[in-house]
Amino acid sequence: MKHLCKKRILQSQHSFSSLGNITSRSQFGGYSIAANKTIFGLVSEGELYLRASKKDEQHFQRREMINLIYTKRGIPVPLNYFLVDEALWQEPSQLLFLARVALAGAQYDKTVRSANGRLKDLPNLNHDIERLLWKAGIQNVDELQHYGAKSSYLELRKIRSNLSVNVLLALAGAICGTHQAALPHPIRRELVEWYQHHAVSKEPKH
């Protein structure tokens, strides 16, 4: 599966090179796709999903692209990431158009958050977590996205060592703009496994 993800990342870097400096990093249990540090896509389980802002969803729905789905208590919850299927990979101009829409929407949402919102206004975050993030040197939404959920969580653990896995899941949900309960199962599973390996093992012995 990791090999398939790497293949999609390389495809994305080639297909979207005209949008800017295309980079990828481990994020949300998969790999983010960003142009000049603005995340507009996600590679998960070997597939690419493009992010859609609320104002742009019709472009993706018109093509009948499939949402990334999280199942909560047996009820499917669609997220604002849309699958790039094999047919769309064969239409490079249309794919680039949708990627450009996704990037523009992400840039717009990012500007709105920076201008009007604080960390505590993101899903799952409150005054307490916001203050901890400030103490850790993470002052705004852009910096939280840059660090990612895992690195941010480790910085918080330096200040408060007893933080639970729920804080890690809350950070991940905040970064992708969704409630932590709506994180897709593969993402949640990967984060919990990471927590058990990297966080529990580092808890102080009594």
Side-chain angles (χ1 to χ4, degrees), residues 95-114:
L95 176 58
L96 182 59
F97 166 76
L98 291 171
R100 189 176 287 114
V101 169
L103 176 59
Q107 290 169 333
Y108 173 82
D109 290 345
K110 189 176 180 180
T111 300
V112 170
R113 287 197 303 265
S114 298

Side-chain angles (χ1 to χ4, degrees), residues 77-88:
V77 179
L79 304 182
N80 64 326
Y81 283 83
F82 291 82
L83 174 67
V84 175
D85 60 18
E86 290 300 328
L88 184 53

Side-chain angles (χ1 to χ4, degrees), residues 39-54:
I39 296 172
F40 67 97
L42 172 69
V43 173
S44 177
E45 298 193 330
E47 299 292 352
L48 172 67
Y49 296 83
L50 293 176
R51 181 189 184 278
S53 65
K54 288 295 183 184

